[in-house]
C-alpha cells in the first residue's frame, strides 16, 4: 500500500448502500426523528411558513459552517469566525455609510474576512502555533478591531441612503415572493462547498492532510498550502454570513456575532466531522446545521426556555463527540 492510498479519505458517495454505513446516515436518521417529533408536538411545525423560517434562520450559521468544515477536516479549529462575522459586517456598513456602492462595500467586507482567515492560517503554518491558541487570540483581536473602527458605536443603515434598499434585498428579499433569499445564498454556497470537498483535488488533499499530514507531504501535497486555503475559506464564509446579517437587519455593532463560533463548530461536529481531522462531509455539516435549527425551532414553538435550549444543544454536542470517540476506538480494535 502506498502513502497515497494510506491517506485516501472517506469520500462522499451517492451510493445508497455506502450511505447507510456512513456516520452521517445516523445523524440523518436523528434529523428525521426530530422532524417527526416536531410534527407530533405542534401542528404549526409542519406549516410551510415555519419550515421556510427555519431555513432562513439557519442560513448564516450554515454558511459559516461550510467554511469551518474545511478547517476541521484539516484537523484544525477556528474560534475567531464570530469576530470575523462582526468585522466584515462593520467594514461593509462603514463603506456604505462612506458613500461607496453597495457592491463595492460587499467586496470590501468579503476581502476583510478572507484576509482575517489568511492571517489565521499564516500564524498556524508559519509560526507553528496551534490553531486553538491562534484563533482564541484572534477572536479578541478581530473583535477589538471591529470595535475600534466603529468607535464602539452601532451602525444602522437607512433605506434612504443610496443603494441600501438594493443591498437589503439580499437578506430581506424572497425569491418568487416565497423562498427567503438568505436560504438561496446558503444553498449556493453549500453546493460549492459540496463540490470542493467531495469532487475536487483540493477536497482530496484536505482529507489527506487531516488524516496524516506527514504522509500527505511525502506524496507531494502542500500541507501548508491546504491549511492556508482552509483558513482563508473559513474567513471568507464568515464574512459572507456577516454581510448577509447586515443586509437582513440593516444594523450591526462590535459585539455582534459573539458566541457564533460555538454554534458553528457544534453544527460541524454534530454532522459527523471528527475534531481530530481526516473525516466528515459537507452533507453531514448541512444535516448538522438543519438539526440544530429544527431543535431550536421545536423548543421555541413549545415555549421551552432559551436556557434549556442551551442545555439541550450542549448535551447533543457531547453525545456527538462521544459517539465519534466510541467509533474510533471500535475501529482501532477491529
Amino acid at each position: 500500500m502506498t502513502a497515497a492510498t494510506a491517506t485516501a479519505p472517506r469520500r462522499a458517495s451517492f451510493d445508497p448502500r455506502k450511505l447507510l454505513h456512513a456516520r452521517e446516515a445516523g445523524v440523518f436518521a436523528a434529523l428525521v426523528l426530530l422532524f417527526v417529533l416536531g410534527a407530533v408536538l405542534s401542528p404549526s411545525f409542519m406549516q410551510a411558513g415555519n419550515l421556510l423560517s427555519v431555513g432562513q434562520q439557519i442560513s448564516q450559521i450554515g454558511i459559516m459552517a461550510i467554511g469551518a468544515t474545511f478547517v476541521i477536516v484539516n484537523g484544525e479549529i477556528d474560534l475567531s469566525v464570530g469576530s470575523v462575522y462582526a468585522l466584515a459586517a462593520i467594514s461593509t456598513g462603514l463603506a456604505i455609510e462612506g458613500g461607496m456602492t453597495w457592491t463595492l462595500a460587499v467586496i470590501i467586507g468579503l476581502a476583510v474576512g478572507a484576509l482575517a482567515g489568511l492571517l489565521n492560517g499564516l500564524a498556524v503554518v508559519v509560526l507553528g502555533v496551534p490553531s486553538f491558541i491562534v484563533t482564541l487570540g484572534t477572536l479578541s483581536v478581530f473583535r477589538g478591531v471591529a470595535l475600534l473602527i466603529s468607535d464602539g458605536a452601532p451602525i444602522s443603515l437607512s433605506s434612504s441612503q443610496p443603494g441600501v434598499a438594493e443591498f437589503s434585498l439580499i437578506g430581506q428579499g424572497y425569491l418568487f415572493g416565497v423562498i427567503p433569499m438568505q436560504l438561496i445564498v446558503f444553498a449556493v454556497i453549500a453546493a460549492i462547498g459540496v463540490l470542493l470537498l467531495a469532487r475536487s483535488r483540493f477536497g482530496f488533499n484536505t482529507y489527506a492532510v487531516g488524516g496524516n499530514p506527514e504522509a500527505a507531504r511525502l506524496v507531494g501535497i502542500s500541507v501548508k498550502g491546504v491549511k492556508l486555503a482552509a483558513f482563508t475559506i473559513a474567513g471568507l464564509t464568515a464574512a459572507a454570513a456577516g454581510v448577509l446579517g447586515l443586509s437582513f437587519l440593516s444594523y450591526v455593532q462590535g459585539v455582534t456575532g459573539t458566541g457564533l463560533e460555538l454554534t458553528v463548530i457544534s453544527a460541524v461536529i454534530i454532522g459527523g466531522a471528527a475534531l481530530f481531522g481526516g473525516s466528515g462531509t459537507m452533507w453531514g455539516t448541512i444535516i448538522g446545521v438543519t438539526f440544530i435549527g429544527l431543535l431550536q425551532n421545536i423548543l421555541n414553538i413549545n415555549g421551552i426556555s432559551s436556557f434549556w435550549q442551551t442545555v439541550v444543544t450542549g448535551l447533543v454536542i457531547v453525545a456527538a463527540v462521544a459517539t465519534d470517540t466510541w467509533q474510533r476506538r471500535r475501529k482501532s480494535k477491529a
Side-chain angles (χ1 to χ4, degrees):
M1 181 182 291
T2 65
T5 57
T7 58
R10 176 169 60 83
R11 304 294 294 275
S13 173
F14 292 101
D15 186 342
R17 294 169 298 176
K18 293 181 180 179
L19 187 61
L20 288 175
H21 296 285
R23 179 178 164 189
E24 290 75 17
V27 182
F28 182 74
L31 179 64
V32 173
L33 289 175
L34 185 65
F35 192 90
V36 173
L37 177 64
V40 170
L41 292 176
S42 175
S44 63
F45 174 79
M46 290 292 292
Q47 293 178 358
N50 179 63
L51 295 178
L52 286 172
S53 177
V54 172
Q56 184 178 46
Q57 291 167 11
I58 67 173
S59 295
Q60 294 174 39
I61 292 296
I63 290 170
M64 299 171 75
I66 295 299
T69 301
F70 288 100
V71 174
I72 291 176
V73 172
N74 260 289
E76 304 291 349
I77 199 78
D78 189 348
L79 300 174
S80 69
V81 290
S83 298
V84 175
Y85 175 101
L87 180 59
I90 283 178
S91 299
T92 303
L94 289 174
I96 292 175
E97 284 190 337
M100 293 186 183
T101 62
W102 70 268
T103 52
L104 181 57
V106 168
I107 292 172
I108 290 174
L110 296 178
V112 166
L115 178 60
L118 178 61
L119 292 175
N120 280 336
L122 287 172
V124 171
V125 305
V126 176
L127 300 180
V129 182
S131 57
F132 179 87
I133 302 300
V134 168
T135 58
L136 183 62
T138 55
L139 178 153
S140 296
V141 171
F142 297 149
R143 180 75 62 189
V145 172
L147 289 166
L148 283 171
I149 63 177
S150 63
D151 289 327
I155 294 173
S156 182
L157 301 179
S158 171
S159 57
S160 62
Q161 294 173 271
V164 171
E166 293 82 357
F167 172 65
S168 297
L169 288 176
I170 304 174
Q172 301 175 17
Y174 288 82
L175 183 65
F176 306 125
V178 177
I179 306 174
M181 285 302 299
Q182 288 196 64
L183 185 56
I184 298 297
V185 174
F186 171 40
V188 170
I189 293 177
I192 294 172
V194 168
L195 292 174
L196 273 179
L197 190 58
R199 294 285 179 254
S200 73
R201 172 58 60 178
F202 173 68
F204 176 85
N205 292 346
T206 297
Y207 282 111
V209 170
N212 191 328
E214 182 58 23
R217 185 187 65 81
L218 291 175
V219 297
I221 295 174
S222 173
V223 175
K224 292 183 177 180
V226 170
K227 290 182 180 290
L228 276 176
F231 277 105
T232 303
I233 291 172
L236 182 61
T237 53
V243 170
L244 195 60
L246 175 64
S247 174
F248 178 60
L249 296 174
S250 296
Y251 178 90
V252 65
Q253 55 182 331
V255 296
T256 296
T258 300
L260 283 181
E261 58 279 346
L262 300 180
T263 306
V264 168
I265 294 170
S266 300
V268 179
I269 300 304
I270 290 172
L275 277 174
F276 306 102
S279 68
T281 66
M282 205 60 73
W283 284 113
T285 292
I286 295 169
I287 294 172
V289 170
T290 306
F291 185 93
I292 290 178
L294 286 179
L295 178 61
Q296 292 177 342
N297 181 255
I298 291 171
L299 294 174
N300 281 329
I301 288 178
N302 290 278
I304 305 299
S305 166
S306 60
F307 303 133
W308 278 110
Q309 293 181 34
T310 303
V311 171
V312 172
T313 302
L315 290 174
V316 170
I317 295 167
V318 172
V321 175
T323 301
D324 178 68
T325 303
W326 175 76
Q327 288 182 337
R328 284 176 174 271
R329 288 177 179 174
R330 188 182 66 171
K331 288 179 180 179
S332 65
K333 292 179 181 179

